[in-house]
Amino acid sequence: MDAILLALGASRRREILGLLRCGERSAGEIYRALGDVTFGAVSQHLGVLERAGLVQVRREGRSRLYLARPEGLGPLREWLESMWDDALAALKARAEAEQAGVRRGSGRPSAEGMRRPRGRGHD
């Protein structure tokens, strides 16, 4: 997953992926579409994307044709979903604890449920 994050860390590579979402393109077409970058830089960016598994390449004569591989984002997607699932589970537990305090008390959250965490930005 580190290779995916590294590849996506550069805005130019994200721009190239955007171009390739629409279909297969040669390195020359990508170079011309970007306009303000050298062909060598485009080639290097494509190499990073390929090594990360985010694009596939095939040869056709002297040309290399590139296509985005959305499935290459699978490991990143799984990691992000697990982070989201953990956050939702924590939120659910907090809401249930607060609801239990309301049921036991006088119709308002218990002091425990209303206590704010201490630390920077919370005082």
Side-chain angles (χ1 to χ4, degrees):
M1 188 171 63
D2 289 343
I4 295 170
L5 291 172
L6 176 68
L8 295 175
S11 61
R12 182 64 71 183
R13 288 192 282 270
R14 292 190 305 270
E15 186 177 1
I16 291 170
L17 275 178
L19 291 171
L20 295 175
R21 275 192 341 207
C22 301
E24 193 174 59
R25 291 182 181 230
S26 71
E29 288 174 307
I30 295 166
Y31 164 71
R32 287 187 293 281
L34 296 176
D36 63 340
V37 65
T38 67
F39 185 82
V42 169
S43 181
Q44 287 179 346
H45 286 307
L46 288 166
V48 171
L49 291 168
E50 183 182 4
R51 285 188 298 279
L54 299 174
V55 299
Q56 66 185 35
V57 61
R58 72 177 179 88
R59 288 185 181 266
E60 185 174 284
R62 292 183 47 200
S63 296
R64 287 184 175 184
L65 300 170
Y66 295 86
L67 182 64
R69 291 185 66 247
E71 64 274 15
L73 292 170
L76 177 61
R77 182 180 193 163
E78 290 169 12
W79 181 76
L80 290 171
E81 285 175 353
S82 74
M83 297 290 282
W84 180 246
D85 289 346
D86 291 348
L88 287 177
L91 179 62
K92 179 182 180 221
R94 195 169 189 183
E96 288 172 348
E98 197 169 298
Q99 184 63 33
V102 169
R103 282 192 212 123
R104 278 182 290 179
S106 61
R108 41 177 223 244
S110 67
E112 181 68 29
M114 294 183 68
R115 194 174 304 140
R116 293 175 66 186
R118 292 190 175 257
R120 289 179 28 188
H122 296 289
D123 292 338

